[in-house]
Amino acid sequence: MREFSNLIGGEPRGTDRMLDSVDPATGTVWARIPRSTADDADAAVAAARAAFPAWSAMPAAGRAHVLRKVAGVFAANARELAELETRDNGRIITETSKRDVPGMTYLWQLAAAECAAAVEGKTVILGPGSMGFTRRVPYGVVVGIIPWNSPISTFSAKAAFALAAGNTVVIKPAEQATASTLRLGELLREVFPPGVLNIVSGLGEEVGDALVRHPGVNRISLTGSTETAKLITRASTDALKPLAFELGGKSPNIVFADADLDRAALGVTTQSIFTANAGQVCVAGSRILIQRPIFDEMIDRMTAIARGIRLGDPLSEETTMGPIVSAEQFQRVTGYLEIGAKEGAELVFGGRSGGEIVDEAYAGGYWVEPTLFTTEDNGLRVCQEEIFGPVAVALPFDTEEEVVAIANDSAYGLAAGVWTRDLGRAHRMCRDVEAGTVWVNTFRKMPPGLPFEGLKDSGYGHDSVLANTREKSCIIET
C-alpha cells in the first residue's frame, strides 16, 4: 500500500484525511492519497503567489533551462510513471509507455523552446515623438484541473506552457487517478524553486471548489466534463478570471464509400473508441457515420476487429483494452447499454459487462466489452449523450450534405474524423463540420504545436504559452 503527499511550497504535505485509490482492473485499493481541505488549497495558492515575482522575472532562457530539466525527469522515469498511470486508471501499458509519457518528454522540450514567445511584443510608431509597444505578461497563479483518463499528459499540457509563460501553478488532479501526478510532484520537487509548482489532491467539491473561488488565483484551465465547467463558471464569478475549458465530445467519425476501408475500419474502432483507454477519451469517435453503399461491409470489418480485442491485465503487453476507471463510471457506461436497447438501437456486438468477460484474477474489476449499436435515428440518447466508455453507434448516410447535418446535430463540437480519398471532399468536411479539430484519414493525432480547442458544449480556450499571457499596451511620448 503506497501513500502519497501533496506538493506545497516545495515540500511534501500530508494530511490525516486520506482517500483510497482503487485499481480498476481488480477493484481493490492499492494506494492512498490526501483528501485535502480548503486550508491546503489556500496554502498552495499562497506558496504560488510568493514564488511568482522571482519566477516571472527570471529571463526566458532561465525558465527554459528548468523546463528542459523536467523533460529529463520524464525521460529518466518513463517506465515508472507509465506503470503508475496504468495501475491508477486502467489505461493499458502500451498506451502509457509508448504514447503518453514519451510524448510528454517532447512537450516539455517544446515548452522550453517557446519560452521566448512569452516575452515578445510589437512596436507601433504612432507619430513623430510618439510610439507604442506591447509586452506579454503572465497572469500570475494558474490553476490546472486535470481529469482521470490521462493525468500525465494533461498535467504536462497545463503546467508546462503556464510555467513557460512565467506563471506559477497549482494542479488539482482528479481523485479517481491521482498517484502518477503526486509522484511527479516528488520527482520535480528539486527541479523547481519552492512554490513554482504545487499539487493538491482531493475531492472537487472540497479542494477544487476552494481553488476556483480563491481570490489569489488569476487563471483557471480545466480538462473535464461540461457539468464541471458550468460549476466552475458559476463559482468564479465573484472574482472575474480567464477560463479555459477542454470538455467532452460526441465526435462523428465519417466514412465515405471511396475511403481505404481497411484503414478506415481500424480508424473507427481501435484508433478512436474501443481500445483507446476503453473509450474513456474526450475525442472518442463514438458516432460512426458510414455511407450507405459500404455500410454492411464496414460493420463486418468492425465486428472482425472487435473480436480480436483482448481484455485483461492492463500491465500486460498482450492486453489491448483495459477496464473502466471506477465503479461510478462503470455504472454510467453499463446504464447506456440498457438505454440503447430500450431505445430500439440494434446491438451488433458486445453488450456484456462485469467479471465474467475476463480472467478470474480480474473478476472484481470494472469491465465492459467493446459494444456497437446501429440505428438511423441520430436523436437517440446513445447518439447524443457522451457515454465515455467503449460504446459506439453506427448510422448510415447517403450524401455529403446529409452527413454534415448529422455530424453537426450535436451539443458538442470537440473533434471529428473523415475517411476519404477525395481531396476536395476532405477540405469541404474540414470547412463544414463543426469541430475544433478535424482529422482526415487519421484519428486522435494531437501534436502539441497545434491548438486543441472545442466549441459548443465542448468548451473554449486552450493551453499554450501565448494563451497563458495577456498583452499589455504601453505608449510613450518623447
Side-chain angles (χ1 to χ4, degrees), residues 268 274 286-290 292 294-303 336-337 339-351 370-383 387 391-397:
V268 301
F274 294 135
S286 53
R287 287 189 299 153
I288 305 169
L289 312 181
I290 305 170
R292 202 175 297 273
I294 59 165
F295 188 83
D296 291 339
E297 181 178 356
M298 278 294 297
I299 294 298
D300 290 342
R301 289 171 181 264
M302 294 162 61
T303 302
Y336 276 100
L337 300 180
I339 289 169
K342 289 178 181 177
E343 289 183 316
E346 181 181 347
L347 180 67
V348 178
F349 56 74
T371 299
L372 179 70
F373 290 105
T374 61
T375 182
E376 297 212 18
D377 184 359
N378 189 52
L380 301 185
R381 288 181 63 187
V382 290
C383 297
I387 298 172
V391 182
V393 184
L395 300 93
F397 71 90

Side-chain angles (χ1 to χ4, degrees), residues 322-344:
I324 303 299
V325 71
S326 65
E328 179 183 12
Q329 184 64 14
F330 174 78
Q331 292 299 323
R332 173 182 173 83
V333 174
T334 53
Y336 276 100
L337 300 180
E338 298 176 6
I339 289 169
K342 289 178 181 177
E343 289 183 316

Side-chain angles (χ1 to χ4, degrees), residues 130-148:
S130 180
M131 67 173 292
F133 64 93
T134 64
R135 304 169 54 108
R136 286 203 170 270
V137 295
Y139 283 105
V141 176
V142 172
V143 165
I145 302 174
I146 65 176
W148 44 258

